Amino acid sequence: MPKFIINGGRTLSGKISVSGAKNSALKIIPAAILSKQPITLSNLPIIEDVERSFEVLVDLGAKISKNGQEVIIETASLNKSEMNPKLADKFRGSVMFIGPLLARFKEVKFPHPGGCVIGAGGRPIDLFLEGYQAFGAEIKEESGKFYNIKAEKLHPAHYFFPLVSVTATESMMMTATIIPGTTILQNCAMEPEIEALANYLNTQGAKITGAGTPTITIEGQEEIGAGKFAVIPDRIETGSFVILAAAANAEIEIENCNPEHIMTLLKILKKIGVNFSTGPDWIKMEKRQTPLLSHDIKTHEYPGFATDLQSPYVVLMTQATGTALIHETIYDRRLLWTDMLSQMGAQITMCDPHRVVVQGPTRLYGKRLMSPDLRAGIALVIAALIADGRTEIDNIYQIDRGYEKLEERLRALGADIERVE
Ligand code: EPU
């Protein structure tokens, strides 16, 4: 299994470019199923989760032509709506195929999606199921492992999400796009990836208003077209690089990003003494002469503090003076990784599964570690880059799932990081 070997403490500087957003690409790719016309995607991140999405599509009968970060997807030849369990089990993003398949074929069979084990109960899909029922679909479930969803005819719905969910919002929005009539979704998630998906569908003939707010209205069409879409910059990658620069006290310019999408993080960084300036698509991180201050955070749905940035932020707090309470409100198991940071020398007290206290500043020391999931993985890389000595990070498939050619981009900043097969 490949691993990263990182010798920490190198001076980092220069420019780093942000890739297209994983969590936008993973929705736009299945959205291709909603139209029989070809879709051209650009600024696509070349990451493992995107490859897994292509495997699912090809298995369903789609044709894919790749040319670097530009890909053409044709789904006119799609000939089945049953997802291959071996493929769907590999990543949580497989859940995004259900809505479009149901809308197009009025039937979909799929296994419970796999992915990062960061929530209790194996990442539930109850909201999705309840949502499809609101469209008139019937659900047959085999002991929570395999599902068959079917409808004679789907009708528009007025649905209130009992819990805010990004993927459930996107899934219902996609299904409603080709169900004629007015669907109203309330208590929706507001992440920029949802707005991007609606913008794409609207340019192809869909009539969606309100995406990015809690209420989304979809005037469903018999059919929609397809065309070109440039994947928006990855806000989690942007935030991770910003935090890396702050933790390493490095002058780094982050390019091809949208600072608006990480405003909550940037506001906190200003307060704790991190210096930077921003433009429309860049962030310049500057060196600071004063110590970094600790600051509590509580993760929250967008535009609150992103749960996906919690782990890099914990690393940053090991370098700050004082005590920071980190309250993870979205997932049950997303703080367990901090045990590895403690092994590196961090002073972290776990209060309960949702809260840790970080006491800083502390020196971190290189260790042999294992990346438990994607976001913990990038946090360990950041920790290793600022630590004394050599760190080995195993199971980096988990990092490759979401970060394209990470070691090459970090080496260009001066990092001593190597991939060993
Ligand atoms: N939830 C349910 N039932 C459902 C769906 C979700 O109880 O049917 C719960 C989850 O267990 C969790 C909460 O609702 O406690 C929020 O989960 P949400 O559905 O919003 O998360 P998600 O849609 O599964 C997306 C991203 C995650 C990101 C979260 C929160 C994708 C593919 N995934 O997940 O990204 O952390 O929103 O912003 O878009 C990552 O990229 O590493 C990642 C985990």
Side-chain angles (χ1 to χ4, degrees), residues 22-23 27 124-127 165-167 308 330-331 375:
K22 167 180 90 75
N23 286 346
K27 325 303 167 55
I125 59 163
D126 52 314
L127 296 180
S165 162
V166 178
T167 44
D308 295 341
I330 311 286
Y331 293 112
R375 305 304 174 190

Side-chain angles (χ1 to χ4, degrees), residues 146-158:
F146 205 84
Y147 305 84
N148 184 357
I149 305 184
K150 214 173 174 173
E152 285 294 313
K153 191 172 184 318
L154 294 164
H155 56 69
H158 190 155

Side-chain angles (χ1 to χ4, degrees), residues 305-327:
F305 195 100
T307 170
D308 295 341
L309 285 174
Q310 169 258 105
S311 49
Y313 187 82
V314 172
V315 177
L316 184 64
M317 285 302 99
T318 67
Q319 304 308 300
T321 305
T323 304
L325 172 69
I326 312 294
H327 189 166

Side-chain angles (χ1 to χ4, degrees), residues 22-23 26-27 92-93 96 116 118-120 123-128 163-168 170 191 235 307-308 330-331 334 374-375 401:
K22 167 180 90 75
N23 286 346
L26 293 183
K27 325 303 167 55
R92 170 78 181 178
M96 298 317 304
C116 287
I118 52 180
R123 312 264 313 257
I125 59 163
D126 52 314
L127 296 180
F128 292 75
L163 197 87
V164 177
S165 162
V166 178
T167 44
E170 292 164 322
E191 270 67 2
R235 65 193 161 92
T307 170
D308 295 341
I330 311 286
Y331 293 112
R334 233 187 188 179
L374 172 62
R375 305 304 174 190
R401 283 187 42 228

Side-chain angles (χ1 to χ4, degrees), residues 112 140-147:
H112 195 91
K140 279 197 191 136
E141 189 183 328
E142 286 167 26
S143 50
K145 288 194 180 134
F146 205 84
Y147 305 84

Side-chain angles (χ1 to χ4, degrees), residues 208-258:
I208 303 171
T209 50
T213 76
T215 303
I216 304 180
T217 305
I218 304 120
E219 298 292 343
Q221 310 296 305
E222 286 287 349
E223 55 185 77
I224 60 164
K228 293 194 168 179
F229 179 80
V231 178
I232 60 169
D234 196 306
R235 65 193 161 92
I236 305 305
E237 194 172 279
T238 307
S240 306
F241 294 157
V242 163
I243 290 175
L244 165 64
N249 199 11
E251 282 176 11
I252 294 177
E253 185 172 341
I254 297 145
E255 300 178 310
N256 297 326
C257 62
N258 185 344

